[in-house]
Amino acid sequence: MMPVSKWLETKSITRQQRWHQLQHHQSIEVAVIGGGITGAAIFRELARYGVKVVLFEQGDFASGTSSRSSKLIHGGLRYLGKGQLSLAFQSIRARQWLKQQLPGLVEPLHFMIPHYQGNFPGQHSFGWLLKIYDSLAKESQAYSLSAHQVLTRQPLVNLQGLQGGSVFTDCISDDARLVMRLMTEGEADGGIALNYTKVTSIQQGRGGVTLEVQDAVSKQSTSLAVKAVANAVGAWVNGHDYQQPSLYRIRPLRGSHVLIPGWRLPVSGALSFFHPEDRRPIFIIPWQGATVIGTTDVDHTAPLTNDLAITSSEIDYLLSACNQLLPELQLTHYDIQASWSGVRPVLAGKDKDAPSALSREHVLWRRGAIVNVTGGKLTTFKSIAEQALALLRESVQLPVSPVNPHWFRQVTRQPLLPFTQLSFTTQQRLYGTYGTWLSLWPLQNKRSLQQFAPAPTLYAELEWILQQEQVVHLDDLLLRRTRIGLLCPLGGSHWLSELKPLCCQWLGWNEAKWQAEVDRYLTIWQQSYSHPELLAEVA
Ligand SMILES: Cc1cc2nc3c(=O)[nH]c(=O)nc-3n(C[C@H](O)[C@H](O)[C@H](O)COP(=O)(O)OP(=O)(O)OC[C@H]3O[C@@H](n4cnc5c(N)ncnc54)[C@H](O)[C@@H]3O)c2cc1C
């Protein structure tokens, strides 16, 4: 396995150099299409086996569904409740593995579910479900609470009919950072990952597959011959012709979240409950100092683009659930700091099926040297990638065992000296997010380890990201590499001037480019990460 210092010498290259490298690379074996969690995991797994692999993402990495999920790494209690044992078991195994592999990026999160008189599920039957959930994970985390204990934990919870509560544990992550961690590990093992490169056609011939690829940055196109392709375009699979109609149909279901400042919706752990209107599960989760309410589940009938936005009725739906559970808060649209919506790549069942009734399982199918994958979850990326590799073996010779035994390079237990001045939680977050690369951070000035704006991001983190993580646009930096655009009021617009010198220094932007990027970012933020009332207030 290549040491990280060596990696830096070879891989500390710009996006432009990566594109150039690709055009002159004669021996790429596999191309992965799609830079969400699924594509990133397949990319990482192929690189681990020593395969020469390239990944193309038409927008920014994780700009599809994989930065817009609920960020839960969960065992799928709901699947267990529906009797989908294999999906629940697979998810629980994945959760346990990730918790052990990436502490700091995948962290345990305790959920409390209050039980009310006459409502399903009752505390007793739910307790049994949790026992099975725990036993599948070979741990004992769940327990019951009396009504009094529920109130001690969450004093604002609706008292009327409250009978008690149950507590169980899942995990929370940052989906976009998880994608980046996989990309970085894959590149360190020899892969090339490129954002803003769209695959516009695929031709399958006797000797393999030829792809046409368009680079949105240089406006150049290139064609590339490979032995096999992994097509991991998530919900985009419906729109993908590639000369053959997709074998499976995706029913695009939009799920939206609202983010409320932590001081306005204070929760010490997550709350899970059922929406009074339709009995769908709703959660309220603490995330990076703020609180998130999610999620909706509605048919997304508009064309699939990245400018998805929450609707007023979705906001009403989420707030009414929250206000029913925590009536004293009486949250309104004006309490919302940010929002986001994503489209679930859910396999279509019958048209009359309710969205929540559809299966969340993934499917893989092979057509010659093209392996397609869609559906599934953030949590189960490892097993999806392993299954994709098994199908790719038909077209590419792979060694029996991986060249690199680890999915994630492990961090030494010894804390790095400069970071010991940070809180334990911040240190953990940095280790989980950047892994062993943390030792390469240039901590040049006094403010390197200071927080930028009211977000957890550090100045040193910004500099590392700008140098190493293919930031093409300001929105890449503010909405996915960091979450400044969600965690700071008004998309962090008050702090943009502080970012300007960093972007100009590391990305070579001039005044005109900076202004164009600010305009682009604010348009995207207003369209997809804000909400109508907030916009009216700003105007
Ligand atoms: C609201 C919501 C909440 C969710 N919550 C959870 C959760 O808490 N836990 C969990 O485990 N799962 C969750 N999920 C599911 C999970 O987020 C998705 O299953 C997962 O992100 C899908 O990843 P993907 O890589 O398949 O798709 P995507 O992330 O959408 O990636 C596909 C990528 O392909 C790219 N692409 C398309 N066409 C081309 C082309 N021609 N060339 C190059 N690139 C192309 C797209 O730009 C896109 O980025 C949630 C989903 C939603 C919508």
Side-chain angles (χ1 to χ4, degrees):
M1 198 197 326
M2 189 188 284
V4 167
S5 53
K6 181 78 189 147
W7 171 86
L8 195 67
E9 280 166 34
T10 56
K11 283 290 170 183
S12 183
I13 56 172
T14 61
R15 189 189 165 281
Q16 210 177 347
Q17 287 165 322
R18 281 178 172 94
W19 173 250
H20 185 76
Q21 216 180 49
L22 170 80
Q23 286 174 308
H24 297 91
H25 210 307
Q26 299 304 313
S27 55
I28 288 176
E29 295 169 279
V30 181
V32 177
I33 312 174
I37 192 77
T38 310
I42 297 171
F43 171 74
R44 199 283 159 272
E45 183 66 330
L46 284 165
R48 214 164 68 84
Y49 274 81
V51 175
K52 295 193 176 66
V53 56
V54 61
L55 178 143
F56 299 114
E57 164 54 52
Q58 65 180 358
D60 185 28
F61 299 130
S63 59
T65 307
S66 298
S67 57
R68 302 153 185 262
S69 78
S70 308
K71 290 124 191 44
L72 298 175
I73 301 296
H74 61 109
L77 190 55
R78 189 154 69 100
Y79 315 132
L80 191 61
K82 285 183 178 172
Q84 296 174 322
L85 269 178
S86 102
L87 184 56
F89 187 56
Q90 201 182 78
S91 308
I92 288 172
R93 272 217 329 234
R95 182 195 69 192
Q96 298 301 87
W97 176 75
L98 272 169
K99 188 166 61 168
Q100 184 262 326
Q101 289 283 314
L102 292 176
L105 183 54
V106 176
E107 282 286 290
L109 178 66
H110 304 294
F111 283 78
M112 180 173 77
I113 174 161
H115 299 288
Y116 287 93
Q117 199 166 20
N119 277 354
F120 180 81
Q123 189 167 16
H124 187 67
S125 49
F126 199 71
W128 275 106
L129 190 68
L130 291 182
K131 274 204 171 79
I132 302 172
Y133 197 54
D134 262 2
S135 69
L136 288 175
K138 295 194 175 67
E139 57 186 24
S140 175
Q141 298 268 355
Y143 52 92
S144 297
L145 300 173
S146 66
H148 178 73
Q149 287 168 321
V150 170
L151 288 172
T152 317
R153 283 166 175 248
Q154 181 44 270
L156 299 175
V157 95
N158 197 342
L159 268 175
Q160 222 176 3
L162 181 68
Q163 291 196 312
S166 304
V167 176
F168 63 95
T169 306
D170 266 322
C171 289
I172 182 112
S173 186
D174 180 331
D175 45 7
R177 289 302 332 177
L178 198 52
V179 170
M180 284 315 294
R181 183 73 200 264
L182 289 165
M183 295 287 184
T184 311
E185 296 281 356
E187 286 216 311
D189 282 337
I192 303 174
L194 273 160
N195 54 0
Y196 295 100
T197 46
K198 180 173 181 164
V199 173
T200 51
S201 83
I202 298 183
Q203 297 282 345
Q204 195 158 186
R206 277 175 170 260
V209 188
T210 305
L211 302 104
E212 289 298 323
V213 187
Q214 224 166 44
D215 176 17
V217 179
S218 65
K219 312 276 184 248
Q220 293 172 344
S221 295
T222 194
S223 70
L224 180 76
V226 290
K227 289 182 186 159
V229 165
N231 188 34
V233 293
W236 276 260
V237 79
N238 277 352
H240 270 260
D241 180 8
Y242 297 143
Q243 272 108 40
Q244 304 197 50
S246 165
L247 202 61
Y248 289 88
R249 197 167 66 85
I250 287 296
R251 182 165 159 193
L253 296 178
R254 190 177 63 247
S256 300
H257 303 78
V258 291
L259 183 143
I260 312 283
W263 60 265
R264 183 67 179 101
L265 178 49
V267 286
S268 56
L271 290 165
S272 178
F273 57 105
F274 292 89
H275 200 292
E277 278 168 30
D278 57 8
R279 308 301 300 158
R280 277 194 58 252
I282 300 289
F283 56 75
I284 299 175
I285 44 175
W287 185 64
Q288 305 208 11
T291 307
V292 176
I293 313 174
T295 162
T296 57
D297 203 6
V298 293
D299 278 305
H300 181 75
T301 47
L304 198 55
T305 55
N306 274 342
D307 55 6
L308 304 168
I310 193 167
T311 60
S312 285
S313 63
E314 284 180 283
I315 295 179
D316 290 341
Y317 174 86
L318 293 174
L319 293 186
S320 74
C322 184
N323 287 335
Q324 176 98 6
L325 184 74
L326 307 168
E328 276 181 42
L329 285 177
Q330 285 312 309
L331 296 177
T332 72
H333 287 220
Y334 295 103
D335 292 309
I336 297 170
Q337 179 168 299
S339 71
W340 68 86
S341 302
V343 171
R344 295 183 175 87
V346 174
L347 295 176
K350 297 188 188 97
D351 284 343
K352 61 178 172 26
D353 284 343
S356 298
L358 297 171
S359 163
R360 266 46 174 168
E361 291 205 61
H362 62 272
V363 280
L364 294 108
W365 69 102
R366 190 171 70 86
R367 276 188 160 142
I370 303 175
V371 171
N372 299 280
V373 51
T374 192
K377 303 185 318 133
L378 191 70
T379 309
T380 48
F381 68 78
K382 179 171 177 270
S383 63
I384 298 178
E386 286 165 354
Q387 289 165 31
L389 233 70
L391 292 179
L392 285 165
R393 276 182 190 277
E394 304 280 333
S395 316
V396 189
Q397 268 208 325
L398 295 176
V400 181
S401 43
V403 178
N404 177 356
H406 305 291
W407 268 76
F408 304 103
R409 284 162 175 75
Q410 293 303 302
V411 185
T412 55
R413 295 271 154 223
Q414 197 67 28
L416 293 167
L417 205 55
F419 296 103
T420 50
Q421 58 182 285
L422 299 170
S423 72
F424 177 72
T425 317
T426 305
Q427 288 184 50
Q428 284 288 94
R429 179 180 71 77
L430 294 176
Y431 282 120
T433 306
Y434 302 97
T436 183
W437 282 268
L438 207 55
S439 61
L440 302 172
W441 278 23
L443 301 173
Q444 278 147 354
N445 52 50
K446 273 196 201 142
R447 67 169 193 184
S448 291
L449 294 181
Q450 283 172 16
Q451 256 178 263
F452 175 85
T457 311
L458 308 179
Y459 277 92
E461 205 169 348
L462 286 171
E463 297 203 8
W464 175 259
I465 290 169
L466 287 168
Q467 288 174 66
Q468 297 291 334
E469 293 192 346
Q470 293 192 52
V471 172
V472 173
H473 294 293
L474 192 55
D475 44 290
D476 304 342
L477 178 67
L478 296 178
L479 296 172
R480 288 171 291 277
R481 301 298 182 284
T482 74
R483 302 306 190 137
I484 292 168
L486 303 174
L487 298 170
C488 296
L490 298 175
S493 48
H494 293 320
W495 289 271
L496 291 184
S497 56
E498 278 220 46
L499 274 181
K500 185 177 165 186
L502 292 176
C503 290
C504 293
Q505 179 183 355
W506 295 112
L507 303 176
W509 291 354
N510 58 22
E511 182 63 38
K513 172 72 175 162
W514 169 255
Q515 206 43 58
E517 285 296 332
V518 169
D519 292 347
R520 175 191 149 106
Y521 166 66
L522 291 177
T523 306
I524 291 173
W525 184 80
Q526 289 175 3
Q527 233 162 39
S528 303
Y529 295 90
S530 175
H531 64 95
E533 280 73 10
L534 186 55
L535 289 182
E537 198 186 359
V538 176

